[in-house]
Amino acid sequence: VDRVVAGHPEDARSHRALARRAQAKNHERLGKWCLRSAEPAHREFARAVVDVFQGRDDAARSVLEPLARANPRGEAALELGLLEIRHGRRDEGWKILDPIMASRSNRASWGPDEYYRLARASRASLEFLLANDAYQQTAKAPRADIQTEWGDLFLQRHRAGDAIVSYREALAID
């Protein structure tokens, strides 16, 4: 931590790379679970996640669009919004993420997955304080993917010391 704060960002990058590998394992586990699911929508979503992960964005978009229309506050909508933003279509991505952001009113029944979805949507919408608050709520269920994303938020906000702490926690969980 001290080296990063003193101006050695290579430590943060190496921790981030290790944490990303842990996150990739979680995507793989999600995909396998969805593919075994009896629900066709779960299988389609899993295929789209794999397509995104492997760079087949057009194929992923064609699957995610109808799923996002069916559930504008769900995981498919989140992935589609993030995909649009990644391709430089910020306004379209933010429009897709708006229902997720608006869903924060009934938080009493939320678990870590709902807060994680809100955190990722908030970060992509440049609502960093809301994203940080949502990541804090996910701390009740330690997961490597959540800690990695939270570390990325810290790094994006120039808080390298906090980022390394999150990346180390992600590695410890995995």
Side-chain angles (χ1 to χ4, degrees):
V1 173
D2 295 333
R3 285 182 41 154
V4 172
V5 173
H8 297 293
E10 63 273 0
D11 286 349
R13 283 193 295 273
S14 66
H15 278 83
R16 182 179 186 194
L18 290 170
R20 281 276 173 230
R21 278 190 233 134
Q23 188 177 20
K25 288 180 188 176
N26 284 331
H27 275 87
E28 186 178 323
R29 281 191 285 252
L30 170 69
K32 287 179 182 176
W33 175 82
C34 288
L35 289 172
R36 287 192 311 266
S37 173
E39 292 291 323
H42 290 173
R43 288 194 303 271
E44 290 175 27
F45 177 71
R47 189 178 73 220
V49 168
V50 170
D51 285 342
V52 168
F53 194 70
Q54 294 179 342
R56 295 188 304 262
D57 294 344
D58 290 336
R61 185 178 291 110
S62 69
V63 172
L64 291 171
E65 285 175 343
L67 294 174
R69 278 193 299 274
N71 183 2
R73 292 186 170 123
E75 290 294 324
L78 173 65
E79 291 296 333
L80 181 60
L82 296 175
L83 183 65
E84 294 296 338
I85 290 170
R86 198 167 42 251
H87 281 275
R89 295 183 287 271
R90 274 199 185 277
D91 291 339
E92 183 62 30
W94 287 344
K95 183 179 171 185
I96 294 167
L97 296 176
D98 276 345
I100 297 169
M101 303 283 290
S103 67
R104 59 185 177 205
S105 60
N106 186 16
R107 294 185 186 179
S109 62
W110 281 20
D113 291 334
E114 290 83 8
Y115 279 109
Y116 183 42
R117 188 177 312 123
L118 176 61
R120 293 178 68 205
S122 300
R123 180 174 171 224
S125 298
L126 307 178
E127 296 284 342
F128 299 118
L129 292 176
L130 179 58
N132 189 57
D133 290 346
Y135 280 122
Q136 285 176 343
Q137 293 298 319
T138 65
K140 298 169 187 164
R143 290 180 15 199
D145 55 341
I146 293 173
Q147 289 300 325
T148 301
E149 293 272 344
W150 200 2
D152 291 348
L153 173 67
F154 286 135
L155 204 55
Q156 185 175 8
R157 303 306 302 156
H158 306 286
R159 293 175 51 189
D162 291 330
I164 286 185
V165 170
S166 284
Y167 295 145
R168 285 182 179 158
E169 288 179 19
L171 293 170
I173 292 167
D174 195 50

